[in-house]
Amino acid sequence: MRDGLRDIFMAGVARADPGAAVAAAMPVARPDLILALGKAAVAMARAALARHPGVPCLVVTNPENAADVPGATVMSGGHPVPDAGSAEAGAALLDAAGPLGADARCLALISGGGSALAVAPVAGVTLEDKAEVSRLLLAAGLDIEAMNRVRQALSRLKGGGLARAAAPATVEALILSDVVGDDLAAIASGPTVTPSGGAAEARAILKDAGLWSRIPESCRAALSRGSDAATPPATARLIGSNALSVAAMAEAAPDARIDPDPLVGDVATAAARVAAAAARGAGTTLWGGETTVVLQGAGRGGRNQELALRVARALKGFDRPWAFLSGGTDGRDGPTDAAGALVDNGTLGRIAAAGLEVDAMLARNDSHPALDAAGDLLMTGGTGTNVADLQILRVG
């Protein structure tokens, strides 16, 4: 049942090839500056420089995807929680954009992950304060749109900040979406796009999540006094997305059915949906999406691994052969070296044979060692792209 599922997943990843997407969408006019931010920044910058060699170029990406780009400066920052490298990268992006004049053209290449990879906190907020907010948001299980609205309100770079720094230059952005629904303001927290919310909305999100009293005082003060700056107009074009990658998986598995409702929200609810799909009978079902996990323990794992393990538990004793894959298209699920997992009828037995108990592992969010013991981790290495997550269910 497992045969071929990894190949179908990789077909979806290949459709999000950032170099090919940039090459196909490159503007004809030669830019004066290229700024590439996100997990796909290296491949996107290489494609842009192949068309326009010699243009000054700054690339900001994660350490796993960092590589030499001839003619460019490459920096890396922390992910999913920003670090000192993120602060250096954020300052470098704003400094590079700042000297541009009215007749200049800036090409911004934006992909997922940029929210943490480059940070420039508003006045009075330290890097440590910003990182603490990121940790609290991640642990609360908020979706990426909500998290990014808070990040925008605490940043000089996000929520159109990069476009404001480059003004009055002309800014054109080519964007690879890692957000279900492709809200351009949510991708890397929208550095070239008018923010989808403001300080008031950020306050409401934090209060609804029970986090307002827990975030650092400096952040509460900044959000209480925050005023929403106008973002100068910039051209933004979507060049790759989760939906396009799901369609590519369907091309690789022509008998499969695409579920039109993405797998989003809490992993427990998503696992129940997958189990319900299995109960409908034989066949292959494809999803895209991005689930969330509310952290209850100090275990090791990620949303795709926890989803896969919860599906294995939900299908315990299922009377048909089945296999399920859930993977992050960037090749990294949470703070682990796995992209996700590929589980089947035998997963629970292999975990038990290793002396581990699934319910206890899930209770402390410890899916990675359980799946490792089962030999069910999905290992791809860094893919150089990021269009959220892909899932495949096959029932015999």
Side-chain angles (χ1 to χ4, degrees), residues 64-274:
E64 294 85 355
N65 290 338
D68 181 56
V69 179
T73 299
V74 179
M75 304 179 71
S76 61
H79 189 278
V81 176
D83 60 12
S86 304
E88 293 174 4
L93 286 167
L94 292 174
D95 288 345
L100 295 175
D103 296 329
R105 303 179 66 88
C106 175
L107 176 63
L109 307 172
I110 308 299
S111 56
S115 298
L117 298 175
V119 297
V122 295
V125 175
T126 67
L127 172 62
E128 292 73 20
D129 293 341
K130 192 77 179 291
E132 177 62 15
V133 171
S134 290
R135 281 189 286 267
L136 289 169
L137 291 169
L138 287 164
L142 294 178
D143 62 38
I144 190 66
E145 288 88 350
M147 287 194 290
N148 284 352
R149 285 183 179 126
V150 176
R151 288 163 165 166
Q152 288 172 352
L154 290 170
S155 175
R156 293 180 291 118
L157 176 66
K158 301 173 176 64
L162 189 60
R164 290 193 291 272
T170 298
V171 178
E172 181 164 6
L174 302 182
I175 301 177
L176 188 71
S177 173
D178 67 332
V179 174
V180 176
D182 303 327
D183 178 4
L184 299 185
I187 302 159
S189 296
T192 65
V193 181
T194 300
S196 49
E201 184 175 359
R203 292 195 300 270
I205 289 169
L206 290 164
K207 290 176 181 178
D208 288 346
L211 298 178
W212 178 251
S213 63
R214 299 173 60 192
I215 66 172
E217 171 59 31
S218 65
C219 298
R220 291 200 299 273
L223 292 175
S224 296
R225 68 173 181 266
S227 60
D228 304 323
T231 301
T235 302
R237 299 170 60 194
L238 185 70
I239 61 172
S241 69
N242 185 257
L244 292 174
S245 286
V246 174
M249 290 201 302
E251 292 174 7
D255 294 333
R257 169 186 174 268
I258 297 176
D259 190 321
D261 296 322
L263 283 177
V264 295
D266 185 72
V267 286
T269 302
R273 282 188 56 198
V274 175

Side-chain angles (χ1 to χ4, degrees), residues 7-55:
D7 291 339
I8 296 170
F9 171 76
M10 292 307 296
V13 173
R15 175 58 182 82
D17 178 86
V22 168
M26 274 292 294
V28 174
R30 181 179 177 86
D32 298 284
L33 175 68
I34 298 171
L35 300 175
L37 169 64
K39 291 184 177 180
V42 166
M44 295 175 84
R46 285 174 175 163
L49 287 171
R51 182 74 61 86
H52 297 298
V55 174

Side-chain angles (χ1 to χ4, degrees), residues 273-299:
R273 282 188 56 198
V274 175
R280 287 195 287 268
T284 301
T285 306
L286 309 176
W287 289 271
E290 186 169 280
T291 57
T292 58
V293 177
V294 177
L295 295 181
Q296 305 289 347

